Structures are given as C-alpha cells and as structure tokens.
Amino acid sequence: MNDKSLPDLLRIRIDTTCGPLVAELYLGRTPISVKNFMRYVQDEFYDGTLMHRVIRDYIVQGGGFTAGMHQKTTRAPIENEAKVCPLNERGTLAMARLPEAPHSATSQFFINLRNNPSLDHFADTPEEWGYCVFGKIVEGMGFADQMGGFATMTRGSHSGSPVSDIFIESIVQLR
C-alpha cells in the first residue's frame, strides 16, 4: 500500500455479528499503527475473526483468531506509538500487544469500554509503555457495549472468551 492511498481523515466500518461500528483512524497521530491496521483491512485479514476477549466494563479485543480459537499468522510486530497517541478513553481503538513487550503489536486491537488511564504511556519501561490508541468509534458504540456484556469462559489458555462467538464479518474503508 502506498501512502497516497490513505486520505487525511480515514473512516472505517467494522461489521460484527452484534452490529456495525464506524471509526475514525488517527493517521496523522499514529501513522505506523494506522497503516499496519489498514494493510490487514485491505488483505481482508479480519474477515471471519473473533472478538475473542471480553473484560466487562473494560475492553473487548479481537483481530487475531478464527472460530475455535485458531490463531492467524500475522506480519512482523510494529513500533508502539503510545508516546504520541491520544489517551485510552471510552470508545477508542488501541493496538493489543504482549504486556512484557511494548513493540509486539501485530493485528489484534481492542475497544476501550471506559476510560482506561492505566493503559496510557507513562515511561519507557515494558510495564509503563502503554497501548497505542489509533482511532475512535464514532457510531455504534452501543454494539461494543453489547459485546462487553457477553458471558465469558476460558478456552484453552484464553480467559475472557465469550461463551457465544462474536465475529468480525468484515472491515472496510469508507472514505
């Protein structure tokens, strides 16, 4: 993907089995994260993946597993832009990563269901690096809240997995 294919204001629609979400992505603030995410969108990588992790009144996470919790193969991890990104506030989209590895984000992302200041950048240590916010839900937040209310269970080593599957049917660029 060349940079000229991305407009200044980037809007996407995330179609889920709970309903559609429309988000604006912060290309100017977090270009590495947005370009990475949009490569996955253009490759239709997210189609048929699960929102596989729910922590009630905290986050819903998806973008890496198919039905049965089969992990998809991803590209290399990206640099974490949490130092320059907006805060992890209600409705924002952020890159998921390993807690001990600040620069380990690939395809997975989460939606903040509340303000989560503990996920913001505080220092350049693995524990306090933070999680990069790269967009915000502007329509359909009620559907994200609905996902956050699903009953959960443990599937293999994955706690917080919804008892009833929530699928990302597709993600498309709107303009």
Side-chain angles (χ1 to χ4, degrees), residues 80-155:
N80 187 333
E81 298 172 288
K83 285 183 174 183
V84 298
C85 75
L87 301 176
N88 279 275
E89 295 178 338
R90 176 173 163 72
T92 55
L93 299 173
M95 295 303 300
R97 63 171 179 83
L98 299 172
E100 68 280 3
H103 305 289
S104 61
T106 56
S107 65
Q108 293 185 39
F109 65 96
F110 59 90
I111 302 168
N112 284 294
L113 298 177
R114 67 172 191 203
N115 292 347
N116 288 316
S118 66
L119 301 179
D120 295 334
H121 179 273
F122 292 102
D124 292 352
T125 64
E127 301 81 22
E128 297 183 310
W129 194 279
Y131 293 77
C132 178
V133 168
F134 67 98
K136 182 171 179 126
I137 302 295
V138 295
E139 295 175 29
M141 189 60 194
F143 296 122
D145 290 331
Q146 180 184 347
M147 291 179 218
F150 272 51
T152 63
M153 64 180 181
T154 299
R155 291 186 192 186

Side-chain angles (χ1 to χ4, degrees), residues 69-80:
M69 293 300 289
H70 299 286
Q71 190 163 9
K72 293 187 78 170
T73 301
T74 62
R75 285 189 299 281
I78 60 170
E79 179 183 340
N80 187 333

